[in-house]
């Protein structure tokens, strides 16, 4: 049973999803605050499938450099844009939040990439962005690149539990 | 990376400036003594009483020298806080306040609020506030914090630039907006951070964005209407660069037709950088403006074979029509983001036995240039710190001689390049004391590991093509404040600081020099000896420009904005994470201990003798 | 013999044994020597073996080795040594001739990328630099020195008709030179395994007269013009407003990314997708819509454009002569 | 102990001795016995069956590849699947089949051929097998979970490095290599010690069979070559897991460093496979011509010189990189030089056949096939030693053709040996009729598959392509090659039928069905657990043919404990007795520890400390004095 689970995890991790045509998150599904009127509900999203897929995350890492994300956010430490490797998320830490940040931009300087980058690649980028703070499994997260040593690879990133981001699920 | 441009703002009415070497008044009023006093008989200096501070650099010559001498080496130790003012903005405060007619004008970083403070009232209450409401998105294309280096004043109007690439003119009396001209497009990465200079009814402004592939320019606006009078690009065909018959560069390397096109791979000049975000100076005698152009884009030099004219150099232009008169390229085919934007300070000195009109340019590449400002001839270029990225400047050809072993290679880390990308000295303006004939230079001592990378031009996103990490250079200190003797071509004295000295300098006829540190200390030192006279701990790191003025009550005041940020302080102001050593384009790794020394702030401090 | 087989198999196809340049020709003559000697040696060994096996089948007892046997064996070994020495001599001669590049050669730089080739002709002044992709034009009868580098993994440049291969290794710069003596198109394919699309990473070498080479080079220096035709102009808008700009350069427009091939003169190229498909409207459309069907794993994502947009885009791309 | 003639030993004695030896040397019954055995014959056979199983799987991979390539633009396999399959094919054939199979044959037959009761270090032998098995299972577990390595069996960086091989595929490769390297090193040590210290009295170094010589040379090569690949795979794994920069040119590492390390192992690797094959050929030639191999000394020296020269060839895999021309010339010369010992061997075999009386049994047919196929491959090998020529054919189907001729050339003697030794292994004869079909189909299949590939190479077809476009014109010859592959598969099918039929109903084999000369034929088929009732004494180079009338044997070795004889290195003079340890499962425990360590190391650096603890427990238990054995030993020493 364990072996089967491990095997299916391995298959999931290793698939090369060349032919994917991923869909953007459902409209209205993105939530940025813990506050809500009436009794609180949980809206914690499921991990996006790409976060279990090493190839998708590594594609995200490649695009992160090639689409100049690194120009503002450096390799996670930030610069013109905020750091991405820490536990603070201005606009939510869930994959849907990150997708929305990339696709729709954010008012204080994040450009909206949605018209220029397809949903598949945005999901790949979102998965990679989350890997920087250890939010995707270690065996999926990328190692070092063939470039300057600037930080430990994402696979060694300690999990930074998002603070002040998505709402906590209600107490049982 | 070019740094918050501060532009030498000229105030034609108030500043007579550069009166061809008759500084006798100043010298006389300065009186007093220091062990190194000389008579500044041939130096162009600010004139007037020094009661006001009407342009960021104090005068058109960019000396940051004040003839006030109430505060002097004997009494500076008694300086005390007179009043303070919170700007309400917690980003890097690089601006110089202006003082005109009993009113102080303070401009903040984004959102670029302009405050008019009434100095005639106790505690300097706000007379009016002007909010230009620049586009918030502009913050995303401002390379190195969202700073502003100050306003300019002329004819009852305050002019300044907003981050989203507009220039505004505001009525100095009422705070009413008179005109507002859009000069750039943030979607192309164009922002404006420099302080304008007003010359002969024209507001001179330049663009930032060398890290975004902008095509850099200097633009003259009609001070009355805000209409564009002329615009000189710094890449492209001669017609666009306003190169015509009058253009007589001194060196062969800068001579030729359409070098702004032919010294680039095809079409790369369209995204070649070369903005203007430093200070502009003006010599009314020669009727020329001087300013530096920023780095070429992208950073990776392998991608742009050629000299990449007219980036990383110094232009002399006619302010009336913008016509270029000469150009000297401090870093042809710039390898390390060593812009040419550092201020040019106009001084008249005897040089090798004859009086010459000179231009002092403490270069980002680590060389202190002494240039004949009439011709563009380089008379001296001496390293003023540890330089291993170049072997020197060939005075015969004018060319910087790069050190091949330190040249960037795509895909390979080149280690220990000194100075690092922020250069030996970045934007932080130096001050010139005509009395002492010393140049007071705040600067840094950083080296870097650098890897050149592929770069993709996607408009509105960074166009860098390099990863770098900086660290303190040899000696164990990261910053220094020193007095350079341009005639002896050596330091008269230096003060080593733990962090880069990212604030501007100020020197007075009282022979007191002022500067601030990134820990937040505001210091007064004996300009002749470098002896520390006084220090005050402000609320945040200092990266602003100290100014001095005589208040309506007749006392001399010294003012400084405190509020850490800028490229060097972004680790604090933008909460960067130094576990990634490339954070803040590599600066955060050199400053990883800064958060233990200071926090964000945005406060104006004004000091006076008790 | 091999010539015969080849002639039978692929007349007009590419082959290292149908040399179009002096280098390949030299290697080909070395091969002629090698295969003839080898064939003789093989025949001799097989003959000896078969004769040895068959000639004493009827005998009951093995024979003692005599001095004769020993002499024959030593002789055979000696002959082997002689053949090898001749081989070494010829080999070093050929090697020397191939490695020394002549002066005044055309200079080109090729960068291998997953999975295409960037071709750059350095310019003097730099504004004469020409950048294209997957197509290398050379003048006939003139030596060409190719400087080779890689921006990701190891690739290998190999035009069999012209010269042997040379690896493109990240962190190193290699160079190779060749000369095409016959005008024509030659195919080069990546010869070092480089990942998913190693199979579809080809480069077309077009050898043409000096005149037409110069004309081609001059044309490649031009920026793209805004098209006059309204459909094509709309195509340009589609290009600039869609994901195309994230990866491609068209000089003269704001598109300046280098992730994918420079498209400034796309329409002048004969193939697309690194020598995989002829550059026709239909293939281009198929490639833009779903490149993963043609080159699975390729770095170009699917672009589900509306029919009208696609038509406009194709019209625009066709203007990029 | 002393040498006596058989006549001194009575038949009744003999029977009692046999029974006692059987009690002493037998494994425990049942599954535990199966897990705990340290008998080199059981382990060797197990090794062979495992290696052969993976040969079949590797062949299956090859079949899939040929199917994919049979026509242009085939969409049977996508690039992702194809790349995994071709990588696993190469890795399987080199690391899971060829080298282990040669080691397995050595571990089984070398002790028998030198007249030893068991291999040296029998528990380590068991350990080595288990480690090897874990490596095999890891690779195929990887393939079946879509984690099959896909960077080629040579795993060139940077393609196999952390940036371009996301996931765990290349880690599976690196650790598979680690496991097989450990197993290979163990086998090499055992073979060397067995040959040096456990030879039967009288078998001086100049009398040992040529196959044993070949195994000795090959084992030394293994010891010198394997550490390079072990270091390389360690470097690769640490680049991937903990971000070291061994192969990162940006940070001062070097992509070519990998190639140097890999080929410094990789080229000797080819000879590690080929040299034992020459040993097999010598045994077969001798057995089927009823004559000692002509030029024994020359043959031995040829093997030794190949062993040395093989380490001077590695750069010929890198002629198209940036290695300097002058350096290349040296490697061209060595690469050509190695043809000389190979030539000596071929000429000596031909001379032997010439002088002998050939019997055209299947095994001998395979020898003839070997000479033809191998000489073809060898000649193309000399061609590619030429730098200019190599720049044309390097990494093309010409090379694919070349090394398949060489390696499948080495498979011919292996198949020959299978027919030759199958009776010894199983006690059953294989069918000669089916065997001839097997040979004919295999010979035809190999040539039809691989000969056209030479021309594909000239026509520009690179290796490791998952497809090709129709315009290249490569379709026809690829179709021919694929048809040849069908023939090869059918020939292996015939072999399987032959083996299965023989196991069920094959003719029982006598002790020495071929009237061959080496000592393994001096015992029963299959050999008993104690191998020989009496350790034979050797009187000549052909142990059985040269035996004097007395046929002397060694007596005096205890039969109630596992007593083995240690002889001197050069002259094999009896020197001392050695106590052979009892069977145990502890090596299995240690092997599992190693498995845990290296598999965990694919995921976390913690694998090292945690796994090491398990290994340590296994090793300590293994080395812990066994009370019963100790008592036996004391009793034995006391008795002596």
């Amino acid at each position: 049973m364990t072996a089967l689970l491990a095997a299916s995890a391995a298959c999931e991790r290793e698939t090369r999803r060349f032919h994917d045509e991923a869909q953007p998150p459902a409209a209205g599904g993105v939530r940025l605050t813990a506050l809500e009127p009436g009794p609180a509900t949980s809206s914690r999203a499921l991990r996006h499938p790409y976060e279990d897929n090493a190839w998708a995350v590594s594609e995200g890492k490649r695009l992160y450099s090639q689409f100049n994300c690194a120009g503002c956010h450096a390799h996670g430490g930030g610069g013109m844009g905020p750091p991405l490797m820490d536990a603070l998320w201005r606009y939510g830490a869930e994959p849907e939040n990150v997708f929305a940040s990339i696709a729709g931009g954010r008012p204080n300087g994040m450009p909206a990439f949605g018209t220029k980058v397809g949903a598949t690649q945005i999901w790949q980028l979102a998965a990679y962005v989350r890997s920087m703070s250890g939010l995707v499994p270690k065996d999926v997260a990328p190692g070092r690149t063939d470039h300057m040593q600037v930080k430990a690879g994402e696979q060694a990133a300690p999990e930074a539990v998002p603070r002040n981001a998505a709402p906590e699920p209600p107490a049982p | 990376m070019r740094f918050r441009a501060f532009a030498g703002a000229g105030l034609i009415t108030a500043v007579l400036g550069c009166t061809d070497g008759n500084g006798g008044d100043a010298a006389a009023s300065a009186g007093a003594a220091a062990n190194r006093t000389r008579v500044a008989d041939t130096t162009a200096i600010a004139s007037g009483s020094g009661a006001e501070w009407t342009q960021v650099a104090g005068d058109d010559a960019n000396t940051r020298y004040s003839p006030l001498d109430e505060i002097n080496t004997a009494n500076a130790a008694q300086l005390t806080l007179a009043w303070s003012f919170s700007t309400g903005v917690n980003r890097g405060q690089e601006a110089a306040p202006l003082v005109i007619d009993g009113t102080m004008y303070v401009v903040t970083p984004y959102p670029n609020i302009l405050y008019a403070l009434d100095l005639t009232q106790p505690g300097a209450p706000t007379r009016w506030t002007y909010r230009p409401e620049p586009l918030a998105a502009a913050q995303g294309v401002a390379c190195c914090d969202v700073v502003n280096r100050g306003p300019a004043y002329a004819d009852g109007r305050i002019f300044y630039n907003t981050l989203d690439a507009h220039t505004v003119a505001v009525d100095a009396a009422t705070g009413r907006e008179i005109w507002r001209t859009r000069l750039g497009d943030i979607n192309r990465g164009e922002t404006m951070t420099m302080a304008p200079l007003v010359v002969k009814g024209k507001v001179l402004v330049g663009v930032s964005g060398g890290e975004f592939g902008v095509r850099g320019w200097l633009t003259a606006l009609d001070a009355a209407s805000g209409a564009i009078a002329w615009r000189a690009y710094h890449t492209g065909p001669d017609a666009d660069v306003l190169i015509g018959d009058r253009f007589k560069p001194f060196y062969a390397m800068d001579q030729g037709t359409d070098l702004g096109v032919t010294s680039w791979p095809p079409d790369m000049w369209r995204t070649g950088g070369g903005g203007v975000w430093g200070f502009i100076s003006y010599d009314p005698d020669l009727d020329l403006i001087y300013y530096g152009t920023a780095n070429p884009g992208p950073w990776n030099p392998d991608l742009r074979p050629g000299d990449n004219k007219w980036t990383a150099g110094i232009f002399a232009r006619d302010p009336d029509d913008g016509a270029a008169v000469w150009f000297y390229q401090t870093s042809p085919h710039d390898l390390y983001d060593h812009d040419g934007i550092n201020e040019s300070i106009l001084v008249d000195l005897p040089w090798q036995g004859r009086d010459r009109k000179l231009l002092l340019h403490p270069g980002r590449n680590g060389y202190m240039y002494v240039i004949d400002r009439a011709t563009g001839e380089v008379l001296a270029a001496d390293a003023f710190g540890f330089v291993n990225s170049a072997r020197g400047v060939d005075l015969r050809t004018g060319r910087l001689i790069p050190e091949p072993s330190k040249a960037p290679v795509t895909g390979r880390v080149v280690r220990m390049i000194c100075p690092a990308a922020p250069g030996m000295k970045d934007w932080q303006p130096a001050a010139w004391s005509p009395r002492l004939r010393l140049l007071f230079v705040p600067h840094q001592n950083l080296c870097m590991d650098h890897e050149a990378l592929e770069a993709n031009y996607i408009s509105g996103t960074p166009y860098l093509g390099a990863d770098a990490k900086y660290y303190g250079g040899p000696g164990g200190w990261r910053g220094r404040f020193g007095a350079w003797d341009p005639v002896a071509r050596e330091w008269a004295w230096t003060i080593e600081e733990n962090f880069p000295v990212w604030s501007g300098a100020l020197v007075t006829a009282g022979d007191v020099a002022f500067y601030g540190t990134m820990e937040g200390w505001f210091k007064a030192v004996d300009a002749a000896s470098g002896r520390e006279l006084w220090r005050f701990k402000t609320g945040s790191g200092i990266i602003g420009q100290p100014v001095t003025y005589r208040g309506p009550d007749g006392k001399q005041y010294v003012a400084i904005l405190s509020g850490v940020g800028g490229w060097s302080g972004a680790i604090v102001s933008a909460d960067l994470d130094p576990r990634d050593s490339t954070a803040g384009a590599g600066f955060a790794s050199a400053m990883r201990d800064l958060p233990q020394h200071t926090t964000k702030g945005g406060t104006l401090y004004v000091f006076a003798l008790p | 013999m091999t010539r015969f087989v080849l002639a039978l198999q692929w007349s007009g196809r590419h082959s290292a044994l149908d040399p179009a340049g002096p280098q390949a020709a030299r290697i080909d003559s070395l091969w002629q020597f090698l295969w003839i000697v080898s064939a003789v040696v093989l025949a001799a060994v097989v003959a000896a073996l078969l004769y040895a096996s068959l000639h004493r089948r009827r005998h009951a007892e093995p024979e003692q080795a005599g001095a004769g046997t020993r002499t024959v064996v030593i002789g055979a070994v000696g002959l082997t040594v002689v053949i090898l020495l001749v081989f070494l001599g010829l080999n070093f001669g050929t090697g020397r001739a191939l490695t020394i590049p002549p002066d005044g050669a055309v200079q080109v730089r090729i960068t291998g990328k997953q999975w295409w080739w960037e071709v750059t002709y350095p310019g003097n002044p730099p504004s004469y630099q020409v950048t294209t992709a997957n197509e290398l034009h050379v003048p006939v009868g003139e030596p060409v020195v190719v400087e080779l580098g890689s921006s990701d993994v190891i690739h290998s440049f190999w035009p069999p008709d012209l010269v042997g291969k040379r690896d493109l290794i990240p962190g190193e710069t290699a160079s190779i030179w060749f000369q095409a003596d016959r005008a024509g198109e030659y195919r080069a394919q990546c010869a070092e395994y480089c990942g998913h699309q190693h199979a579809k990473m080809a480069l077309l070498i077009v050898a043409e007269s000096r005149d037409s080479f110069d004309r081609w080079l001059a044309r490649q220096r031009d920026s793209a013009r805004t098209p006059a035709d309204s459909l094509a102009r709309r195509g340009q808008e589609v290009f600039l407003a869609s994901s195309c700009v994230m990866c491609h350069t068209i000089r003269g427009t704001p598109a300046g990314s280098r992730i994918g091939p420079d498209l400034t003169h796309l329409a002048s190229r004969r193939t697309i997708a690194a020598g995989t498909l002829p550059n026709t409207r239909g293939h281009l459309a198929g490639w833009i819509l779903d490149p993963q069907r043609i080159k699975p794993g390729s770095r170009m994502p699917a672009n589900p454009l509306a029919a009208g947009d696609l038509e406009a885009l194709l019209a625009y791309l066709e203007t990029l002569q | 102990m002393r040498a006596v003639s058989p006549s001194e030993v009575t038949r009744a004695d003999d029977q009692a001795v046999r029974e006692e030896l059987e009690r002493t040397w037998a494994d425990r019954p049942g599954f535990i016995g199966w897990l705990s055995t340290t008998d080199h014959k059981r382990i060797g056979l197990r090794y062979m069956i495992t290696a052969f199983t993976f040969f079949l799987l590797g062949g299956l991979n090859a079949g899939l590849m040929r199917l994919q390539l049979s026509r242009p633009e085939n969409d049977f396999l996508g690039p992702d699947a194809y790349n995994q399959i071709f990588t696993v094919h190469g890795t399987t054939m080199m690391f899971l089949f060829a080298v282990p199979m040669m080691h397995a044959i050595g571990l089984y037959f070398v002790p028998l051929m030198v007249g030893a009761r068991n291999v040296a270090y029998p528990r380590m032998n068991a350990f080595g097998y288990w480690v090897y098995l874990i490596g095999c299972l890891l690779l195929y577990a990887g393939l079946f979970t879509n984690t099959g390595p896909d960077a080629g069996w040579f795993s060139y960086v940077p393609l196999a490095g952390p940036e371009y091989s996301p996931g765990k595929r290349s880690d599976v490769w690196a650790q598979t290599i680690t496991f097989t390297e450990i197993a290979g090193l163990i086998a090499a040590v055992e073979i060397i010690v067995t040959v040096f210290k456990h030879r039967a009295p009288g078998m001086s170094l100049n009398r040992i069979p040529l196959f044993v010589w070949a195994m000795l040379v090959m084992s030394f090569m293994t010891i010198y070559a394997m550490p390079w690949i072990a270091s390389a795979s360690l470097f690769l794994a640490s680049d991937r897991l903990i971000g070291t920069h061994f192969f990162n040119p940006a940070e001062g590492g070097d992509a070519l460093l990998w190639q140097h390390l890999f080929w410094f192992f990789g080229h000797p690797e080819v000879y590690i496979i080929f040299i034992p094959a020459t040993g097999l050929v010598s045994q077969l030639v001798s057995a089927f011509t009823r004559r000692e191999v002509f030029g024994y000394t020359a043959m031995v020296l040829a093997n030794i010189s190949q062993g040395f020269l093989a380490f001077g060839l590695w750069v010929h895999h890198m002629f198209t990189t940036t290695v300097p021309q002058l350096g290349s010339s040296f490697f061209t010369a060595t690469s050509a030089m190695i043809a000389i010992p190979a030539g000596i061997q071929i000429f000596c075999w031909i001379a032997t056949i010439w002088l002998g009386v050939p019997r055209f049994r299947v095994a001998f047919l395979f020898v003839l096939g070997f000479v033809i196929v191998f000489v073809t491959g060898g000649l193309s090998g000399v061609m590619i030693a030429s730098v200019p020529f190599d720049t044309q054919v390097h990494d093309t189907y010409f090379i694919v053709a070349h090394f398949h001729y060489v390696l499948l050339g080495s498979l011919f003697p292996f198949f020959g040996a299978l027919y030759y030794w199958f009776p010894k292994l199983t006690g059953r004869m294989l069918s000669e009729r089916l065997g001839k079909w097997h040979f004919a189909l295999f010979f035809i299949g190999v040539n039809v598959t691989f000969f056209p590939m030479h021309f594909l190479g000239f026509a520009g077809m690179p290796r490791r392509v998952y497809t090709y476009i129709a315009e290249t014109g490569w379709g026809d010859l690829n179709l021919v090659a694929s048809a040849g592959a069908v023939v090869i598969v059918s020939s292996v099918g015939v072999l399987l039928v032959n083996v299965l039929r023989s196991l069920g109903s094959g003719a029982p084999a006598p002790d020495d069905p071929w009237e061959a000369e080496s000592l393994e034929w001096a015992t029963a088929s299959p050999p008993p657990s104690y191998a020989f009732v009496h350790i034979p004494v050797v009187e000549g180079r052909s142990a059985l043919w040269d035996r004097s009338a007395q046929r002397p044997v060694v007596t005096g070795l205890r039969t109630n404990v596992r007593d083995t004889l240690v002889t001197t290195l050069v002259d094999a003079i009896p020197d001392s007795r050695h106590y052979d340890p009892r069977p145990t499962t502890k090596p299995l425990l240690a092997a599992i520890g190693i498995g845990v360590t290296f598999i965990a190391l694919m995921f976390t650096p913690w694998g090292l400390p945690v796994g090491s603890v398990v290994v340590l427990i296994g090793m300590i238990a293994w080395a812990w004095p066994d009370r019963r054995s100790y008592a036996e030993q004391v009793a034995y020493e006391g008795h002596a």
Side-chain angles (χ1 to χ4, degrees), chain C:
Chain C
M1 176 198 75
T2 45
R3 264 196 209 296
F4 174 72
V5 173
L6 285 170
L8 219 60
Q9 276 296 328
W10 319 275
S11 42
R13 305 275 190 205
H14 299 298
S15 168
L17 306 183
D18 184 17
Q23 258 117 324
R26 272 188 156 276
I27 296 171
D28 182 54
S29 30
L30 185 62
W31 157 247
Q32 298 300 333
F33 165 80
L34 288 173
W35 86 257
I36 291 168
V37 171
S38 298
V40 171
V41 169
L42 182 63
V45 168
V46 172
L49 180 69
L50 293 182
Y51 185 72
S53 308
L54 299 174
H55 81 291
R56 282 173 50 84
R57 265 185 307 171
R58 307 267 177 260
H59 292 242
E61 279 307 311
E63 222 180 299
Q64 281 308 303
T69 317
R70 176 169 303 197
T71 313
V72 170
V73 169
I74 291 173
V77 173
L79 192 61
T80 310
V81 173
V82 170
I83 292 172
L84 288 173
L85 287 176
V86 173
F87 158 74
L88 286 178
L90 280 173
N91 164 60
F92 292 141
T94 311
R96 276 181 65 82
L98 294 190
T99 46
I100 301 160
D103 296 331
V106 177
Q107 303 281 332
V108 195
R109 194 167 66 241
I110 293 185
T111 308
K113 312 212 178 198
Q114 283 180 326
W115 291 272
W116 59 282
W117 310 87
E118 187 179 78
V119 179
T120 307
Y121 295 78
N124 186 19
S127 54
Y128 275 26
Q129 178 178 303
V130 164
T131 302
T132 181
N134 304 324
E135 199 164 295
L136 174 66
H137 284 241
V138 299
V140 166
E142 288 184 44
V144 181
V145 173
V146 188
E147 188 183 288
L148 300 161
S150 166
S151 63
D152 39 50
V153 300
I154 303 177
H155 304 279
S156 192
F157 170 77
W158 180 40
D161 309 70
L162 300 169
V163 69
K165 60 187 72 60
R166 198 88 170 131
D167 291 354
L168 294 72
I169 302 169
E172 318 231 350
T173 306
S175 76
I176 191 170
W177 76 273
F178 65 85
Q179 178 175 318
D181 285 339
R182 285 202 311 262
E185 292 180 11
Y186 305 98
R187 191 168 183 276
Q189 183 164 352
C190 177
E192 181 59 84
Y193 176 57
C194 57
H196 295 128
Q197 281 303 332
H198 170 53
K200 291 184 177 171
M201 181 172 166
L203 171 80
L204 194 68
I205 298 177
V206 180
E208 55 198 350
S209 70
R210 184 76 213 189
D211 280 356
S212 56
F213 171 72
D214 286 341
R215 273 200 305 279
W216 175 83
L217 208 56
R219 210 166 51 241
Q220 296 288 314
R221 285 183 194 129
D222 294 343
S223 309
R225 284 186 207 87
T226 304
D229 169 62
S230 70
L231 182 67
R233 235 188 354 261
R234 208 187 116 215
Q236 187 183 38
E237 284 159 22
V238 170
F239 187 95
L240 295 175
S242 70
S243 55
C244 312
V245 286
M246 295 302 287
C247 297
H248 294 286
T249 293
I250 294 180
R251 288 189 291 106
T253 77
S257 186
R258 302 158 195 259
I259 301 168
D262 185 318
L263 303 181
T264 311
H265 298 281
L266 172 67
S268 77
R269 300 207 280 260
R270 299 165 199 211
T271 66
I272 55 171
T276 305
L277 297 171
N279 187 3
T280 65
R281 192 185 178 93
H283 283 128
L284 201 52
W287 174 247
I288 291 167
L289 288 175
D290 190 4
Q292 297 298 325
R293 192 178 47 76
I294 296 160
K295 276 175 81 166
S298 137
R299 294 285 160 78
M300 174 135 159
N303 294 282
L305 292 172
D309 287 349
L310 179 66
E311 194 190 352
L313 180 61
L314 291 167
Y316 172 56
L317 294 177
E318 282 170 358
T319 68
L320 300 173
Q321 277 299 328

Side-chain angles (χ1 to χ4, degrees), chain C residues 10 13 16 38 53 55-56 59 62-63 87 91 152 158 160 165-167 172 191-193 197-198 200, chain D residues 83 150 164 290-291 320-322 332 354-355 357 383 386 388 391-392 394-395 458 463-464 466 471 473:
Chain C
W10 319 275
R13 305 275 190 205
S38 298
S53 308
H55 81 291
R56 282 173 50 84
H59 292 242
E63 222 180 299
F87 158 74
N91 164 60
D152 39 50
W158 180 40
K165 60 187 72 60
R166 198 88 170 131
D167 291 354
E172 318 231 350
E192 181 59 84
Y193 176 57
Q197 281 303 332
H198 170 53
K200 291 184 177 171
Chain D
N83 293 347
D150 59 356
Y164 298 100
R290 293 193 221 180
R291 189 191 185 288
T320 62
T321 67
T322 47
T332 297
W354 191 290
L355 298 168
V357 183
M383 295 177 188
S386 154
T391 60
Q392 276 287 17
H394 177 76
D395 267 340
F458 285 127
R463 291 169 73 176
R464 303 153 188 159
Y466 79 99
E471 290 76 6

Side-chain angles (χ1 to χ4, degrees), chain B residues 120-203:
Chain B
T120 61
Q121 304 290 318
T126 306
R127 205 191 283 275
W128 49 258
T129 302
Y130 166 71
R131 298 175 192 277
E133 305 292 357
L135 290 170
Q139 296 173 86
V141 286
C143 87
C144 321
D145 203 358
V146 292
V147 298
N148 184 292
R149 299 193 180 84
Y153 172 85
D155 292 335
R157 293 175 179 189
I158 299 288
F159 306 96
Y160 74 103
N161 297 316
T162 62
L163 191 64
D164 61 349
H166 289 66
T167 300
V168 295
V170 179
D171 185 322
T174 64
R176 185 179 54 86
E177 179 179 301
I178 298 170
W179 50 256
R180 179 184 186 115
T181 304
R182 180 176 182 233
L183 292 170
D185 178 0
I186 59 166
N187 263 326
R188 292 203 306 259
E190 293 172 326
T191 55
M192 288 168 72
T193 57
M194 54 90 79
L197 179 72
V198 185
V199 174
K200 295 165 82 177
K202 295 204 167 54
V203 184

Side-chain angles (χ1 to χ4, degrees), chain B residues 401-441:
Chain B
I401 308 160
E403 164 57 41
S405 67
K406 298 292 181 186
V409 181
T410 302
R412 197 172 273 277
V413 178
V414 178
R415 294 181 212 280
M416 190 75 183
I417 297 170
C418 310
M424 189 73 75
K425 172 185 168 297
D426 198 88
W427 80 282
Q428 61 270 49
W432 168 254
S433 168
R435 284 170 41 77
L436 302 175
R437 286 185 182 167
L438 291 176
L439 186 68
F440 300 90
V441 189

